[in-house]
């Protein structure tokens, strides 16, 4: 009797939304179903197995099985060893979210311990894992043709009722347990465009669509393949000039991901172009040293990127507001800390400001001045 929860899907709708499996997605309301169809009419799936369309040339890897490969793991760091990341250790734009500590809990001996603000602001801090693994073992598992010393990984255990559902980040090259599948876009040999793929995966609009596909807690590859991802051709010079400086500043906060910053700047040439059509193209400060972790600034940078991706996905302002309302834990935390749903308000304000186009958008943040990173030494 509740029309809000009653909707119709045709065979064509199911084929549009899940072209590989032709299975019925899970919707919680009529509006969720209609919004998802709008997205899929505009944005292709990551990998269409029926048409063999794979614009990113993406392949997946589960590097180490925590049970089957346990004989390869060391319990102390040493020469020639890399840390073994587990899903609990990261969040979007933060590969240093948690340490792993060993407890007396026999069932779950490796427990997460949050990283402090002081540690986040220390560019030499790396999270402590449970295990380490030989560098040579990692090297043998990397796909042939992949040239970078950093990777994109995501959590494979999640739920649509969590604060966020699709959780990914950029990692330094390391070992990865099966709880962090890796994504290799082998069809795109450009670090800047590759970085844009990660920003897409971290956006609220992408997360919203992922939630419509989660029937259990396992984010399997067949689900990821059928999620709507903007193709590489989306990223014009104008968009790269907007996105890349922001993802650099959000990601490059520690020395261990310096290869990512170096690759992005090397492939661009002499620096990432600044934003603003009425000003001459300028060079963004080259991140010789990591950026300082600044919570307030990071919040605004992420809001700018989320506002942009709502536009890129063709989402109206009313629908963007509705989508943000489907993240109740984000709302609750904001209201507890700030007395309002701050994330929603700021993203929608930025959405409005961007309505005339990225070039006309006046950023709330100037590029960080050269002395913004003076607290860090000039060399590692």
């Amino acid at each position: 009797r509740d029309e809000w929860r009653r909707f119709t899907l045709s065979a064509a709708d199911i084929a549009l939304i899940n072209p590989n499996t032709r299975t019925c997605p899970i919707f919680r309301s009529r509006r969720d179903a209609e919004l998802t169809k709008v997205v899929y009419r505009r944005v292709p799936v990551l990998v269409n197995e029926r048409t063999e369309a794979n614009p990113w040339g993406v392949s997946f890897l589960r590097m180490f099985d925590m049970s089957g490969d346990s004989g390869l793991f060391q319990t102390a760091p040493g020469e020639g060893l890399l840390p073994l990341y587990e899903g609990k250790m990261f969040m979007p734009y933060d590969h240093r979210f948690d340490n792993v500590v060993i407890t007396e809990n026999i069932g779950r001996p490796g427990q997460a311990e949050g990283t402090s603000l002081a540690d986040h602001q220390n560019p030499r801090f790396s999270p402590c894992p449970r295990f380490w693994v030989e560098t040579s073992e990692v090297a043998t598992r990397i796909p042939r043709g992949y040239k970078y010393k950093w990777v994109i990984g995501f959590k494979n255990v999640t739920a649509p009722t969590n604060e966020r559902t699709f959780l990914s980040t950029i990692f330094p090259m390391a070992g990865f347990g099966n709880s962090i599948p890796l994504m290799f876009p082998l069809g795109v040999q450009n670090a800047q465009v590759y970085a844009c793929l990660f920003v897409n995966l971290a956006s609220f609009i992408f997360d919203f669509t992922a939630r419509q596909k989660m029937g259990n807690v396992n984010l399997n590859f067949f689900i990821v393949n059928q999620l709507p991802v903007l193709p590489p051709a989306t990223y014009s010079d104008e968009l790269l000039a907007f996105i890349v400086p922001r993802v650099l500043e959000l990601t490059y906060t520690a020395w261990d991901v310096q290869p990512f910053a170096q690759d992005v700047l090397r492939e661009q040439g002499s620096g990432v172009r600044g934003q603003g059509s009425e000003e001459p193209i300028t060079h963004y400060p080259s991140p010789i040293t990591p950026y300082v972790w600044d919570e307030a600034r990071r919040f605004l940078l992420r809001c700018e990127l989320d506002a942009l991706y709502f536009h890129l996905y063709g989402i109206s302002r009313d629908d963007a507001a509705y989508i943000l309302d489907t993240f109740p834990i984000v709302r609750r935390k904001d209201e507890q800390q700030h007395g309002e749903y701050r994330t929603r308000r700021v993203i929608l304000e930025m959405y409005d400001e961007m309505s005339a186009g990225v070039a006309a958008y006046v950023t709330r943040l100037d590029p960080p001045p050269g002395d913004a990173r003076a607290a860090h030494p000039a060399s590692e």
Side-chain angles (χ1 to χ4, degrees):
R1 298 176 181 177
D2 186 349
E3 291 189 3
W4 185 75
R5 291 187 176 275
R6 190 171 66 248
F7 52 88
T8 300
L9 292 177
S10 68
D13 291 334
I14 293 174
L16 173 72
I17 296 168
N18 281 331
N20 300 338
T21 60
R22 302 297 173 100
T23 49
C24 187
I26 298 169
F27 296 118
R28 291 157 184 81
S29 74
R30 176 192 296 269
R31 190 166 186 181
D32 289 352
E34 293 303 318
L35 260 175
T36 302
K37 286 190 284 186
V38 167
V39 169
Y40 275 87
R41 291 187 187 113
R42 181 182 178 90
V43 181
V45 295
L46 181 64
V47 180
N48 190 319
E49 296 169 359
R50 293 178 182 261
T51 65
E52 298 184 349
N54 184 358
W56 288 93
V58 73
S59 66
F60 299 102
L61 172 69
R62 288 191 175 97
M63 185 179 283
F64 292 107
D65 182 85
M66 296 301 289
S67 297
D69 292 320
S70 60
L72 302 173
F73 304 159
Q74 307 292 322
T75 56
E79 186 175 353
L81 297 179
L82 292 172
L84 181 74
Y85 279 88
E86 299 177 57
K88 60 177 71 74
M89 297 174 67
F90 79 95
M91 290 293 280
Y93 297 104
D94 186 6
H95 68 289
R96 305 183 297 161
F97 183 74
D98 273 331
N99 297 288
V100 181
V101 295
I102 305 302
T103 70
E104 296 181 358
N105 184 329
I106 297 175
R108 298 185 65 186
Q111 297 290 323
E113 180 181 75
T115 299
S116 68
L117 177 60
D119 283 337
H120 270 125
Q121 292 176 335
N122 176 5
R124 287 187 171 83
F125 172 79
S126 295
C128 182
R130 276 197 295 173
F131 305 112
W132 286 259
V133 65
E134 293 279 354
T135 302
S136 58
E137 289 289 346
V138 172
T140 62
R141 287 164 166 77
I142 299 299
R144 182 175 297 178
Y146 186 74
K147 64 182 182 179
Y148 300 117
K149 300 298 183 185
W150 46 275
V151 293
I152 292 177
F154 59 92
K155 293 181 193 277
N156 77 328
V157 177
T158 185
T161 53
N162 289 354
E163 180 176 358
R164 297 289 298 268
T165 298
F166 196 98
L167 302 167
S168 63
T169 203
I170 291 175
F171 295 92
M173 188 59 71
F176 295 90
N178 50 265
S179 58
I180 308 180
L182 303 179
M183 182 182 293
F184 296 93
L186 298 175
V188 178
Q189 295 295 313
N190 183 295
Q192 292 185 91
V193 180
Y194 188 0
C196 293
L197 170 62
F198 159 61
V199 178
N200 191 158
L201 302 179
S203 65
F204 272 108
I205 176 57
F206 182 78
D207 209 341
F208 171 79
T209 60
R211 290 180 170 216
Q212 314 310 317
K213 301 296 188 74
M214 292 295 295
N216 55 37
V217 298
N218 294 309
L219 189 57
N220 293 309
F221 294 156
F222 76 86
I223 296 176
V224 180
N225 278 342
Q226 296 180 119
L227 294 178
V229 179
L230 295 167
T234 302
Y235 298 104
S236 63
D237 289 345
E238 180 185 59
L239 285 176
L240 290 176
F242 186 91
I243 295 169
V244 174
R246 287 162 175 78
V247 70
L248 267 179
E249 187 171 346
L250 286 165
T251 303
Y252 182 38
T253 58
W255 285 112
D256 56 7
V257 286
Q258 188 183 48
F260 168 67
Q262 290 174 327
D263 288 336
V264 165
L265 292 172
R266 182 183 304 113
E267 293 186 7
Q268 197 278 338
S270 56
V272 180
R273 287 182 288 179
Q275 57 272 30
S277 62
E278 297 180 1
E279 299 179 2
I281 297 291
T282 58
H283 295 314
Y284 202 76
S286 177
I288 299 170
T289 60
Y291 291 99
V292 171
W293 184 284
D294 182 328
E295 294 280 6
R297 185 176 174 87
R298 291 174 63 82
F299 168 73
L300 292 176
L301 288 167
R302 291 187 64 170
C303 286
E304 286 186 321
L305 292 170
D306 274 306
L308 172 66
Y309 274 82
F310 277 125
H311 279 292
L312 294 179
Y313 271 72
I315 302 299
S316 72
R317 189 190 192 282
D318 286 346
D319 287 340
Y322 169 78
I323 287 169
L324 291 167
D325 282 337
T326 64
F327 291 84
I329 300 176
V330 178
R331 174 194 284 272
R332 185 176 72 240
K333 288 185 174 181
D334 267 11
E335 290 176 344
Q336 290 172 347
Q337 188 172 357
H338 306 287
E340 61 161 337
Y341 191 0
R342 183 183 65 152
T343 300
R344 180 182 186 272
R345 174 179 61 79
V346 174
I347 290 176
L348 293 178
E349 288 174 355
M350 291 177 171
Y351 178 98
D352 292 339
E353 293 165 9
M354 290 181 189
S355 293
V358 170
Y361 172 69
V362 179
T363 180
R364 302 180 182 207
L365 295 166
D366 294 324
D371 61 1
R373 287 166 278 121
H376 298 336
S379 60
E380 189 171 4

